[in-house]
Amino acid sequence: MTNKQALGYMLLPCKDLKLDKDQADKLWDAMFQNMDEFTEEEAQEKGHEWLNSH
């Protein structure tokens, strides 16, 4: 899967959750930055770690 495909998957729930364009743009930017910063494995680990800690 490419980054743009993953970002497309991210935008679909934004639409479903009725996020406004500004919120979706912020999420897009943050996700793109994290894609550059972390490997897929790191993202999976750190993301699930965060979710399970709340």
Side-chain angles (χ1 to χ4, degrees):
M1 177 181 306
T2 67
N3 286 355
K4 285 198 172 196
Q5 290 168 327
L7 288 162
Y9 274 113
M10 180 269 306
L11 290 173
L12 294 174
C14 288
K15 178 184 167 194
D16 294 342
L17 295 170
K18 298 181 180 1
L19 299 182
D20 63 39
K21 180 136 171 62
D22 186 53
Q23 291 170 314
D25 281 340
K26 286 179 182 177
L27 185 54
W28 172 284
D29 290 341
M31 191 165 167
F32 215 91
Q33 180 179 353
N34 278 279
M35 287 174 159
D36 286 340
E37 187 173 339
F38 300 104
T39 66
E40 292 172 0
E41 293 79 15
E42 289 171 326
Q44 181 176 348
E45 179 182 332
K46 290 177 184 298
H48 285 99
E49 225 174 69
W50 172 82
L51 182 63
N52 292 327
S53 70
H54 289 86

